[in-house]
Amino acid sequence: DVALAVPDKQVASVCPYCGVGCQLTYNIKDNKILYVEGRDGPANHERLCVKGRYGFDYAHHPHRLTKPLIRRADAPKRGDFTMDPDNVMDVFREASWEEALAFAAGQLKQIRDQHGKKALAGFGSAKGSNEEAYLFQKLVRVGFGSNNVDHCTRLCHASSVVALLEGIGSGAVSNPVMDVTKAEVVIIIGANPTVNHPVAATWIKNAVRNGTQLVVCDPRRSELARIAHRFLQFKPDTDVALLNAMMHVIVTDGLVDREFIESRTVGYEELKQNVEGYSPEKMAPICGIDADTIKYVARLYATSRASMILWGMGVSQHIHGTDNARCLIALALMTGQIGRPGTGLHPLRGQNNVQGASDAGLIPMMYPDYQHVTDPKVQASFEQAWKLPVGTLDSTPGLTVVEVMHAIKKGEIRGMYVMGENPAMSDPDATHARESLAALDHLVVQDIFLTETAYLADVILPASAFPEKTGTFTNTDRLVQMGRQAIDPPGDARQDLWIIQQIAERLGLDWQYSHVSEVFDEMRHTMPSIGGITWDRLEREHAVTYPCVKEGDPGESVVFVDDFPRESGRARFVPVDIIPAAERPDAEYPMVLITGRQLEHWHTGSMTRRATVLDAIEPDPIALIHPLDLAAMGARPGDIVTLESRRGAVSLYARADDSSPRGAIFVPFCFYEAAINKLTNAALDPYAKIPEFKYCAIRASLGGLP
Ligand code: SF4
């Protein structure tokens, strides 16, 4: 039918999944998406991956929430549970919007008034638009009255952002992905773009074909490792040993860029002293890479005309994630490999709008555009912009994602508003997170499906899916792009912006935004980096790169050409030492768990597992295990195995995978039947408060849980 149908409408939009930000066209007939095609956007030039091309029919899935729901008085909350989306009405009853909103906001207000402003918290979403993120953080800061607002950036690149802000004064990328085609050498560390940023991976492959020398550093052998000039399969958790050893070589061989260091940086002498103790010979047994290879790669990177580093969550999701990123920044600075086309630092952002949501202030320590909540001048400027009495806004940083879960257990947080996130699946030590959510006096969840988090809610507000809304989304390249509404939300589901404003109104705020463009206009007047981007221009051009300070500016795709946005204009070296993972393997739990994503599925699976094609390709929870480890367990591919940590256990299908090193098991976190985050460790990086998803001790055995 689809093959024969002719669309009655075509709508230009962007992909709802990863941070590459591919532009696409929705082909619509009778309010249904028939198919999707790639458009000629700056990041994709008509290319799409399997998710972008086939992962759209979740929007039409019968599990969509179409009415507000209120938990039945006799339905107990349970921290652990088995999802049963077909029996929703055993737990919830339908309600009118008026009743649901009055209940949702009324209870939040009561908690705020009885227990204080800090008894509430909100999690926004990196899948929502910039305008939704902006309005949500404004609601928490003004309506709740504290900075207890965060989102999933805390779980992915928070450590990269802390290190980048500290070192070079900006948390975003220095160069777009496409610059790999201008680089002589590209280092990819702790990232698997073929799976997580598939269209970006195609540009990397094109670059290699045209002569770029690719170096892949990763404990797991990714597909890109097969075409790499060098593949460094270092031992899990030893990034700092490897990177400090590379810096040692660059210093010892005199390959540093003296002029760049002297004119554009501070702190080099301390870094130089620190890496003295990290010779390749000393680090080789620690990281598992021979000294000659470390030397070769360090020299290759330092001496090329243009070298670029891209990284992912293999770098950031450690208790030393900030330190890992500090090393990458130092490598670029000491060699002057930044500030030119084909050079620089690119933390590959995961979600389609995690860059934009962070920019828009959906983080507990900063207002929009990374302006610190502790700065009295910043506070005063937002009070003026938001027409608030002087001294209204909270000047202390709020709690981060995992800290909120602990604060609930201590009785400090009593009510929450969660918009489009699924912490019951995505947080580390998920059983603890679920118990915390279940312990709240009042939980409001706004989503498109009955997620594992929504299942614990007191009230659920049915929201709009990506193709049902208009708004801006910022990709990993700092490209602000226009997403346009292609279809109507089903049933009584409503626009997220409308829902946020309804809650705000019931908390006593008088907001009068009649169109999403008015929210964007307010944003650009409080965020200097996008000050020059107008809604009209986005309508016309579809995408504009920031920084774009004044109207008419073209937008800068390569930044730090002349200076760094720090007080002195100079970047800063930060030396680091080795800190081991919080939980090492031992006799009881002898293996290591690494979690991540799969090509076909997105994060906690709520969308892609309801996309017909994607779910058909990867329908079951799997663990990727080295064939020799499988044999040692007496298991074969396809057998059910049980993985256990000190925090929990799950059973899932074993898949033989010799790209994982022996002793390390990789599990995607998208399968609710085997929620792998029940096993992960909630230990946090001290600077960024990011959990250590990439390393915890487990044991594995043949057979399922009883
Ligand atoms: Fe969507 Fe990312 Fe795939 Fe592009 S690469 S189609 S943005 S999931």
Side-chain angles (χ1 to χ4, degrees), residues 187 189 215 217 232 239-252 255 275 278-280 283 293-302 309 328 331 334:
I187 293 182
I189 178 165
V215 177
C217 309
L232 278 56
D239 318 56
V240 168
L242 172 65
L243 298 170
N244 271 354
M246 284 175 64
M247 286 191 264
H248 175 101
V249 175
I250 291 166
V251 172
T252 314
L255 300 177
V275 298
Y278 287 87
S279 71
M283 291 303 107
T293 303
I294 296 174
K295 288 178 191 169
Y296 176 80
V297 169
R299 289 167 186 157
L300 188 74
Y301 173 80
I309 303 175
L328 299 174
L331 264 173
M334 65 167 31

Side-chain angles (χ1 to χ4, degrees), residues 15 17-18 20-22 48-49 51-52 198-199:
C15 174
Y17 292 109
C18 90
V20 174
C22 298
L48 292 177
C49 78
K51 284 192 289 288
V199 168

